PDB file of all heavy atoms in Angstrom:
ATOM      1  N   SER A  16       0.831  -1.208  -0.002  1.00  0.00           N
ATOM      2  CA  SER A  16       0.007  -0.001  -0.002  1.00  0.00           C
ATOM      3  C   SER A  16       0.862   1.256   0.001  1.00  0.00           C
ATOM      4  O   SER A  16       1.845   1.323   0.729  1.00  0.00           O
ATOM      5  CB  SER A  16      -0.873   0.015   1.257  1.00  0.00           C
ATOM      6  OG  SER A  16      -1.480   1.281   1.430  1.00  0.00           O
ATOM      7  N   PRO A  17       0.469   2.259  -0.758  1.00  0.00           N
ATOM      8  CA  PRO A  17       1.189   3.540  -0.704  1.00  0.00           C
ATOM      9  C   PRO A  17       0.883   4.295   0.609  1.00  0.00           C
ATOM     10  O   PRO A  17       1.594   5.233   0.952  1.00  0.00           O
ATOM     11  CB  PRO A  17       0.667   4.313  -1.909  1.00  0.00           C
ATOM     12  CG  PRO A  17      -0.659   3.712  -2.210  1.00  0.00           C
ATOM     13  CD  PRO A  17      -0.580   2.271  -1.771  1.00  0.00           C
ATOM     14  N   VAL A  18      -0.134   3.871   1.333  1.00  0.00           N
ATOM     15  CA  VAL A  18      -0.526   4.533   2.580  1.00  0.00           C
ATOM     16  C   VAL A  18       0.269   3.958   3.751  1.00  0.00           C
ATOM     17  O   VAL A  18       0.838   4.695   4.554  1.00  0.00           O
ATOM     18  CB  VAL A  18      -2.043   4.406   2.822  1.00  0.00           C
ATOM     19  CG1 VAL A  18      -2.424   4.954   4.189  1.00  0.00           C
ATOM     20  CG2 VAL A  18      -2.805   5.110   1.726  1.00  0.00           C
ATOM     21  N   HIS A  19       0.295   2.609   3.866  1.00  0.00           N
ATOM     22  CA  HIS A  19       1.011   1.992   4.979  1.00  0.00           C
ATOM     23  C   HIS A  19       1.124   0.489   4.761  1.00  0.00           C
ATOM     24  O   HIS A  19       0.100  -0.194   4.639  1.00  0.00           O
ATOM     25  CB  HIS A  19       0.256   2.250   6.291  1.00  0.00           C
ATOM     26  CG  HIS A  19       0.941   1.708   7.480  1.00  0.00           C
ATOM     27  ND1 HIS A  19       0.562   0.543   8.090  1.00  0.00           N
ATOM     28  CD2 HIS A  19       2.009   2.152   8.176  1.00  0.00           C
ATOM     29  CE1 HIS A  19       1.340   0.304   9.124  1.00  0.00           C
ATOM     30  NE2 HIS A  19       2.246   1.259   9.188  1.00  0.00           N
ATOM     31  N   GLY A  20       2.330  -0.022   4.738  1.00  0.00           N
ATOM     32  CA  GLY A  20       2.569  -1.473   4.672  1.00  0.00           C
ATOM     33  C   GLY A  20       1.783  -2.166   3.585  1.00  0.00           C
ATOM     34  O   GLY A  20       1.850  -1.817   2.428  1.00  0.00           O
ATOM     35  N   ARG A  21       1.000  -3.146   4.014  1.00  0.00           N
ATOM     36  CA  ARG A  21       0.116  -3.856   3.101  1.00  0.00           C
ATOM     37  C   ARG A  21      -1.255  -3.225   3.123  1.00  0.00           C
ATOM     38  O   ARG A  21      -1.659  -2.597   4.117  1.00  0.00           O
ATOM     39  CB  ARG A  21       0.001  -5.322   3.496  1.00  0.00           C
ATOM     40  CG  ARG A  21       1.255  -6.097   3.306  1.00  0.00           C
ATOM     41  CD  ARG A  21       1.028  -7.542   3.677  1.00  0.00           C
ATOM     42  NE  ARG A  21       2.232  -8.314   3.492  1.00  0.00           N
ATOM     43  CZ  ARG A  21       2.413  -9.533   3.931  1.00  0.00           C
ATOM     44  NH1 ARG A  21       1.442 -10.123   4.602  1.00  0.00           N
ATOM     45  NH2 ARG A  21       3.521 -10.156   3.732  1.00  0.00           N
ATOM     46  N   GLY A  22      -2.005  -3.425   2.056  1.00  0.00           N
ATOM     47  CA  GLY A  22      -3.366  -2.928   1.967  1.00  0.00           C
ATOM     48  C   GLY A  22      -4.214  -3.902   1.168  1.00  0.00           C
ATOM     49  O   GLY A  22      -3.686  -4.864   0.574  1.00  0.00           O
ATOM     50  N   VAL A  23      -5.508  -3.653   1.134  1.00  0.00           N
ATOM     51  CA  VAL A  23      -6.445  -4.497   0.412  1.00  0.00           C
ATOM     52  C   VAL A  23      -6.990  -3.669  -0.771  1.00  0.00           C
ATOM     53  O   VAL A  23      -7.422  -2.534  -0.562  1.00  0.00           O
ATOM     54  CB  VAL A  23      -7.590  -4.973   1.322  1.00  0.00           C
ATOM     55  CG1 VAL A  23      -8.556  -5.861   0.555  1.00  0.00           C
ATOM     56  CG2 VAL A  23      -7.049  -5.701   2.544  1.00  0.00           C
ATOM     57  N   PHE A  24      -6.970  -4.237  -1.952  1.00  0.00           N
ATOM     58  CA  PHE A  24      -7.332  -3.512  -3.164  1.00  0.00           C
ATOM     59  C   PHE A  24      -8.426  -4.234  -3.919  1.00  0.00           C
ATOM     60  O   PHE A  24      -8.402  -5.455  -4.060  1.00  0.00           O
ATOM     61  CB  PHE A  24      -6.104  -3.347  -4.074  1.00  0.00           C
ATOM     62  CG  PHE A  24      -5.064  -2.469  -3.465  1.00  0.00           C
ATOM     63  CD1 PHE A  24      -4.159  -2.976  -2.539  1.00  0.00           C
ATOM     64  CD2 PHE A  24      -4.984  -1.125  -3.806  1.00  0.00           C
ATOM     65  CE1 PHE A  24      -3.194  -2.166  -1.962  1.00  0.00           C
ATOM     66  CE2 PHE A  24      -4.020  -0.313  -3.229  1.00  0.00           C
ATOM     67  CZ  PHE A  24      -3.126  -0.831  -2.304  1.00  0.00           C
ATOM     68  N   ALA A  25      -9.376  -3.447  -4.443  1.00  0.00           N
ATOM     69  CA  ALA A  25     -10.493  -3.997  -5.213  1.00  0.00           C
ATOM     70  C   ALA A  25      -9.992  -4.510  -6.567  1.00  0.00           C
ATOM     71  O   ALA A  25      -9.265  -3.815  -7.268  1.00  0.00           O
ATOM     72  CB  ALA A  25     -11.554  -2.915  -5.437  1.00  0.00           C
ATOM     73  N   LEU A  26     -10.376  -5.745  -6.906  1.00  0.00           N
ATOM     74  CA  LEU A  26     -10.031  -6.324  -8.203  1.00  0.00           C
ATOM     75  C   LEU A  26     -11.139  -6.137  -9.229  1.00  0.00           C
ATOM     76  O   LEU A  26     -10.949  -6.434 -10.409  1.00  0.00           O
ATOM     77  CB  LEU A  26      -9.716  -7.821  -8.041  1.00  0.00           C
ATOM     78  CG  LEU A  26      -8.482  -8.141  -7.196  1.00  0.00           C
ATOM     79  CD1 LEU A  26      -8.349  -9.660  -7.033  1.00  0.00           C
ATOM     80  CD2 LEU A  26      -7.233  -7.541  -7.793  1.00  0.00           C
ATOM     81  N   ARG A  27     -12.278  -5.680  -8.750  1.00  0.00           N
ATOM     82  CA  ARG A  27     -13.406  -5.351  -9.618  1.00  0.00           C
ATOM     83  C   ARG A  27     -14.204  -4.271  -8.905  1.00  0.00           C
ATOM     84  O   ARG A  27     -13.975  -3.990  -7.733  1.00  0.00           O
ATOM     85  CB  ARG A  27     -14.258  -6.572  -9.919  1.00  0.00           C
ATOM     86  CG  ARG A  27     -14.969  -7.159  -8.690  1.00  0.00           C
ATOM     87  CD  ARG A  27     -16.123  -8.064  -9.131  1.00  0.00           C
ATOM     88  NE  ARG A  27     -16.786  -8.742  -8.061  1.00  0.00           N
ATOM     89  CZ  ARG A  27     -17.738  -8.210  -7.288  1.00  0.00           C
ATOM     90  NH1 ARG A  27     -18.095  -6.955  -7.408  1.00  0.00           N
ATOM     91  NH2 ARG A  27     -18.327  -8.933  -6.348  1.00  0.00           N
ATOM     92  N   THR A  28     -15.169  -3.696  -9.575  1.00  0.00           N
ATOM     93  CA  THR A  28     -16.030  -2.706  -8.939  1.00  0.00           C
ATOM     94  C   THR A  28     -16.839  -3.375  -7.832  1.00  0.00           C
ATOM     95  O   THR A  28     -17.392  -4.454  -8.041  1.00  0.00           O
ATOM     96  CB  THR A  28     -16.982  -2.048  -9.967  1.00  0.00           C
ATOM     97  OG1 THR A  28     -16.193  -1.393 -10.958  1.00  0.00           O
ATOM     98  CG2 THR A  28     -17.920  -1.064  -9.317  1.00  0.00           C
ATOM     99  N   LEU A  29     -16.847  -2.729  -6.688  1.00  0.00           N
ATOM    100  CA  LEU A  29     -17.624  -3.210  -5.534  1.00  0.00           C
ATOM    101  C   LEU A  29     -18.762  -2.223  -5.326  1.00  0.00           C
ATOM    102  O   LEU A  29     -18.558  -1.018  -5.371  1.00  0.00           O
ATOM    103  CB  LEU A  29     -16.742  -3.274  -4.291  1.00  0.00           C
ATOM    104  CG  LEU A  29     -15.456  -4.101  -4.427  1.00  0.00           C
ATOM    105  CD1 LEU A  29     -14.571  -3.922  -3.204  1.00  0.00           C
ATOM    106  CD2 LEU A  29     -15.792  -5.567  -4.640  1.00  0.00           C
ATOM    107  N   ARG A  30     -19.951  -2.728  -5.102  1.00  0.00           N
ATOM    108  CA  ARG A  30     -21.124  -1.868  -4.946  1.00  0.00           C
ATOM    109  C   ARG A  30     -21.386  -1.508  -3.501  1.00  0.00           C
ATOM    110  O   ARG A  30     -21.135  -2.315  -2.590  1.00  0.00           O
ATOM    111  CB  ARG A  30     -22.360  -2.559  -5.543  1.00  0.00           C
ATOM    112  CG  ARG A  30     -22.238  -2.797  -7.023  1.00  0.00           C
ATOM    113  CD  ARG A  30     -22.244  -1.481  -7.781  1.00  0.00           C
ATOM    114  NE  ARG A  30     -21.941  -1.679  -9.176  1.00  0.00           N
ATOM    115  CZ  ARG A  30     -21.361  -0.778  -9.940  1.00  0.00           C
ATOM    116  NH1 ARG A  30     -21.048   0.397  -9.450  1.00  0.00           N
ATOM    117  NH2 ARG A  30     -21.126  -1.016 -11.185  1.00  0.00           N
ATOM    118  N   GLU A  31     -21.910  -0.320  -3.285  1.00  0.00           N
ATOM    119  CA  GLU A  31     -22.267   0.131  -1.952  1.00  0.00           C
ATOM    120  C   GLU A  31     -23.147  -0.910  -1.273  1.00  0.00           C
ATOM    121  O   GLU A  31     -24.085  -1.447  -1.883  1.00  0.00           O
ATOM    122  CB  GLU A  31     -23.017   1.464  -2.021  1.00  0.00           C
ATOM    123  CG  GLU A  31     -23.428   2.003  -0.664  1.00  0.00           C
ATOM    124  CD  GLU A  31     -24.110   3.340  -0.738  1.00  0.00           C
ATOM    125  OE1 GLU A  31     -24.117   3.975  -1.820  1.00  0.00           O
ATOM    126  OE2 GLU A  31     -24.654   3.770   0.301  1.00  0.00           O
ATOM    127  N   GLY A  32     -22.816  -1.255  -0.020  1.00  0.00           N
ATOM    128  CA  GLY A  32     -23.568  -2.229   0.735  1.00  0.00           C
ATOM    129  C   GLY A  32     -23.145  -3.676   0.497  1.00  0.00           C
ATOM    130  O   GLY A  32     -23.619  -4.592   1.194  1.00  0.00           O
ATOM    131  N   GLU A  33     -22.256  -3.906  -0.460  1.00  0.00           N
ATOM    132  CA  GLU A  33     -21.798  -5.272  -0.754  1.00  0.00           C
ATOM    133  C   GLU A  33     -20.988  -5.807   0.431  1.00  0.00           C
ATOM    134  O   GLU A  33     -20.024  -5.167   0.866  1.00  0.00           O
ATOM    135  CB  GLU A  33     -20.958  -5.274  -2.041  1.00  0.00           C
ATOM    136  CG  GLU A  33     -20.543  -6.650  -2.479  1.00  0.00           C
ATOM    137  CD  GLU A  33     -19.797  -6.630  -3.839  1.00  0.00           C
ATOM    138  OE1 GLU A  33     -19.917  -5.648  -4.592  1.00  0.00           O
ATOM    139  OE2 GLU A  33     -19.117  -7.637  -4.104  1.00  0.00           O
ATOM    140  N   LEU A  34     -21.357  -6.967   0.927  1.00  0.00           N
ATOM    141  CA  LEU A  34     -20.630  -7.609   1.989  1.00  0.00           C
ATOM    142  C   LEU A  34     -19.329  -8.157   1.426  1.00  0.00           C
ATOM    143  O   LEU A  34     -19.333  -8.903   0.439  1.00  0.00           O
ATOM    144  CB  LEU A  34     -21.449  -8.749   2.599  1.00  0.00           C
ATOM    145  CG  LEU A  34     -20.851  -9.471   3.783  1.00  0.00           C
ATOM    146  CD1 LEU A  34     -20.609  -8.534   4.954  1.00  0.00           C
ATOM    147  CD2 LEU A  34     -21.756 -10.618   4.222  1.00  0.00           C
ATOM    148  N   LEU A  35     -18.201  -7.783   2.030  1.00  0.00           N
ATOM    149  CA  LEU A  35     -16.898  -8.145   1.474  1.00  0.00           C
ATOM    150  C   LEU A  35     -16.219  -9.290   2.205  1.00  0.00           C
ATOM    151  O   LEU A  35     -15.705 -10.205   1.575  1.00  0.00           O
ATOM    152  CB  LEU A  35     -15.976  -6.918   1.479  1.00  0.00           C
ATOM    153  CG  LEU A  35     -16.519  -5.694   0.728  1.00  0.00           C
ATOM    154  CD1 LEU A  35     -15.585  -4.533   0.876  1.00  0.00           C
ATOM    155  CD2 LEU A  35     -16.781  -6.048  -0.729  1.00  0.00           C
ATOM    156  N   VAL A  36     -16.190  -9.223   3.541  1.00  0.00           N
ATOM    157  CA  VAL A  36     -15.414 -10.211   4.286  1.00  0.00           C
ATOM    158  C   VAL A  36     -15.766 -10.129   5.765  1.00  0.00           C
ATOM    159  O   VAL A  36     -16.189  -9.077   6.251  1.00  0.00           O
ATOM    160  CB  VAL A  36     -13.892  -9.963   4.066  1.00  0.00           C
ATOM    161  CG1 VAL A  36     -13.431  -8.645   4.631  1.00  0.00           C
ATOM    162  CG2 VAL A  36     -13.047 -11.120   4.576  1.00  0.00           C
ATOM    163  N   GLU A  37     -15.583 -11.231   6.462  1.00  0.00           N
ATOM    164  CA  GLU A  37     -15.676 -11.232   7.919  1.00  0.00           C
ATOM    165  C   GLU A  37     -14.278 -10.996   8.480  1.00  0.00           C
ATOM    166  O   GLU A  37     -13.312 -11.552   7.973  1.00  0.00           O
ATOM    167  CB  GLU A  37     -16.222 -12.576   8.439  1.00  0.00           C
ATOM    168  CG  GLU A  37     -16.320 -12.624   9.944  1.00  0.00           C
ATOM    169  CD  GLU A  37     -16.829 -13.956  10.484  1.00  0.00           C
ATOM    170  OE1 GLU A  37     -17.235 -14.817   9.680  1.00  0.00           O
ATOM    171  OE2 GLU A  37     -16.845 -14.121  11.710  1.00  0.00           O
ATOM    172  N   TYR A  38     -14.176 -10.177   9.528  1.00  0.00           N
ATOM    173  CA  TYR A  38     -12.896  -9.953  10.192  1.00  0.00           C
ATOM    174  C   TYR A  38     -12.660 -11.149  11.113  1.00  0.00           C
ATOM    175  O   TYR A  38     -13.420 -11.394  12.026  1.00  0.00           O
ATOM    176  CB  TYR A  38     -12.913  -8.648  11.001  1.00  0.00           C
ATOM    177  CG  TYR A  38     -11.521  -8.233  11.438  1.00  0.00           C
ATOM    178  CD1 TYR A  38     -10.782  -7.368  10.662  1.00  0.00           C
ATOM    179  CD2 TYR A  38     -10.947  -8.733  12.590  1.00  0.00           C
ATOM    180  CE1 TYR A  38      -9.501  -6.981  11.030  1.00  0.00           C
ATOM    181  CE2 TYR A  38      -9.672  -8.362  12.965  1.00  0.00           C
ATOM    182  CZ  TYR A  38      -8.947  -7.496  12.190  1.00  0.00           C
ATOM    183  OH  TYR A  38      -7.680  -7.135  12.558  1.00  0.00           O
ATOM    184  N   LYS A  39     -11.603 -11.916  10.837  1.00  0.00           N
ATOM    185  CA  LYS A  39     -11.346 -13.147  11.571  1.00  0.00           C
ATOM    186  C   LYS A  39     -10.098 -13.011  12.421  1.00  0.00           C
ATOM    187  O   LYS A  39      -9.223 -12.199  12.153  1.00  0.00           O
ATOM    188  CB  LYS A  39     -11.174 -14.310  10.610  1.00  0.00           C
ATOM    189  CG  LYS A  39     -12.400 -14.588   9.781  1.00  0.00           C
ATOM    190  CD  LYS A  39     -12.864 -15.961  10.033  1.00  0.00           C
ATOM    191  CE  LYS A  39     -14.078 -16.247   9.153  1.00  0.00           C
ATOM    192  NZ  LYS A  39     -14.581 -17.544   9.427  1.00  0.00           N
ATOM    193  N   GLY A  40     -10.006 -13.877  13.420  1.00  0.00           N
ATOM    194  CA  GLY A  40      -8.839 -13.929  14.292  1.00  0.00           C
ATOM    195  C   GLY A  40      -9.214 -14.537  15.619  1.00  0.00           C
ATOM    196  O   GLY A  40     -10.368 -14.921  15.851  1.00  0.00           O
ATOM    197  N   LYS A  41      -8.234 -14.649  16.498  1.00  0.00           N
ATOM    198  CA  LYS A  41      -8.447 -15.224  17.817  1.00  0.00           C
ATOM    199  C   LYS A  41      -9.190 -14.209  18.690  1.00  0.00           C
ATOM    200  O   LYS A  41      -8.860 -13.037  18.714  1.00  0.00           O
ATOM    201  CB  LYS A  41      -7.087 -15.564  18.447  1.00  0.00           C
ATOM    202  CG  LYS A  41      -7.218 -16.250  19.776  1.00  0.00           C
ATOM    203  CD  LYS A  41      -5.862 -16.691  20.288  1.00  0.00           C
ATOM    204  CE  LYS A  41      -6.010 -17.397  21.626  1.00  0.00           C
ATOM    205  NZ  LYS A  41      -4.716 -17.795  22.172  1.00  0.00           N
ATOM    206  N   ARG A  42     -10.179 -14.726  19.422  1.00  0.00           N
ATOM    207  CA  ARG A  42     -10.980 -13.881  20.323  1.00  0.00           C
ATOM    208  C   ARG A  42     -10.432 -14.016  21.729  1.00  0.00           C
ATOM    209  O   ARG A  42     -10.156 -15.124  22.194  1.00  0.00           O
ATOM    210  CB  ARG A  42     -12.433 -14.304  20.297  1.00  0.00           C
ATOM    211  CG  ARG A  42     -13.083 -14.035  18.967  1.00  0.00           C
ATOM    212  CD  ARG A  42     -14.390 -14.804  18.804  1.00  0.00           C
ATOM    213  NE  ARG A  42     -14.909 -14.598  17.486  1.00  0.00           N
ATOM    214  CZ  ARG A  42     -15.728 -13.600  17.161  1.00  0.00           C
ATOM    215  NH1 ARG A  42     -16.144 -12.759  18.061  1.00  0.00           N
ATOM    216  NH2 ARG A  42     -16.148 -13.472  15.912  1.00  0.00           N
ATOM    217  N   MET A  43     -10.301 -12.872  22.408  1.00  0.00           N
ATOM    218  CA  MET A  43      -9.773 -12.865  23.785  1.00  0.00           C
ATOM    219  C   MET A  43     -10.133 -11.548  24.453  1.00  0.00           C
ATOM    220  O   MET A  43     -10.613 -10.635  23.794  1.00  0.00           O
ATOM    221  CB  MET A  43      -8.248 -13.052  23.734  1.00  0.00           C
ATOM    222  CG  MET A  43      -7.527 -11.920  23.017  1.00  0.00           C
ATOM    223  SD  MET A  43      -5.750 -12.195  22.870  1.00  0.00           S
ATOM    224  CE  MET A  43      -5.713 -13.264  21.444  1.00  0.00           C
ATOM    225  N   GLY A  44      -9.852 -11.478  25.736  1.00  0.00           N
ATOM    226  CA  GLY A  44     -10.046 -10.236  26.470  1.00  0.00           C
ATOM    227  C   GLY A  44      -8.926  -9.260  26.113  1.00  0.00           C
ATOM    228  O   GLY A  44      -7.837  -9.667  25.687  1.00  0.00           O
ATOM    229  N   TRP A  45      -9.204  -7.968  26.295  1.00  0.00           N
ATOM    230  CA  TRP A  45      -8.195  -6.944  25.980  1.00  0.00           C
ATOM    231  C   TRP A  45      -6.915  -7.169  26.759  1.00  0.00           C
ATOM    232  O   TRP A  45      -5.808  -7.021  26.237  1.00  0.00           O
ATOM    233  CB  TRP A  45      -8.747  -5.555  26.263  1.00  0.00           C
ATOM    234  CG  TRP A  45      -9.537  -5.004  25.131  1.00  0.00           C
ATOM    235  CD1 TRP A  45     -10.890  -4.885  25.051  1.00  0.00           C
ATOM    236  CD2 TRP A  45      -9.020  -4.489  23.891  1.00  0.00           C
ATOM    237  NE1 TRP A  45     -11.245  -4.346  23.832  1.00  0.00           N
ATOM    238  CE2 TRP A  45     -10.116  -4.079  23.110  1.00  0.00           C
ATOM    239  CE3 TRP A  45      -7.739  -4.332  23.370  1.00  0.00           C
ATOM    240  CZ2 TRP A  45      -9.987  -3.528  21.855  1.00  0.00           C
ATOM    241  CZ3 TRP A  45      -7.591  -3.776  22.110  1.00  0.00           C
ATOM    242  CH2 TRP A  45      -8.716  -3.383  21.362  1.00  0.00           C
ATOM    243  N   ARG A  46      -7.032  -7.496  28.027  1.00  0.00           N
ATOM    244  CA  ARG A  46      -5.838  -7.687  28.872  1.00  0.00           C
ATOM    245  C   ARG A  46      -4.952  -8.796  28.279  1.00  0.00           C
ATOM    246  O   ARG A  46      -3.743  -8.641  28.190  1.00  0.00           O
ATOM    247  CB  ARG A  46      -6.268  -8.032  30.294  1.00  0.00           C
ATOM    248  CG  ARG A  46      -5.135  -8.015  31.284  1.00  0.00           C
ATOM    249  CD  ARG A  46      -5.670  -8.287  32.665  1.00  0.00           C
ATOM    250  NE  ARG A  46      -6.896  -7.557  32.914  1.00  0.00           N
ATOM    251  CZ  ARG A  46      -7.149  -6.828  33.977  1.00  0.00           C
ATOM    252  NH1 ARG A  46      -6.284  -6.754  34.936  1.00  0.00           N
ATOM    253  NH2 ARG A  46      -8.305  -6.213  34.115  1.00  0.00           N
TER     254      ARG A  46
END
């Protein structure tokens, strides 16, 4: 990314309201 490190880029036109992805990862408490 020219903004910071890696980035995510559209490979085709995406429409307003289009569901793109679920944010995944390990769930835990902030501490």
Side-chain angles (χ1 to χ4, degrees):
S16 168
V18 174
H19 183 258
R21 291 182 180 168
V23 181
F24 294 82
L26 296 176
R27 65 162 176 81
T28 299
L29 305 171
R30 297 293 172 208
E31 180 177 350
E33 185 175 341
L34 183 61
L35 303 176
V36 65
E37 179 181 354
Y38 193 93
K39 299 239 181 183
K41 184 174 180 182
R42 293 163 185 271
M43 63 184 82
W45 275 105
R46 191 177 317 228

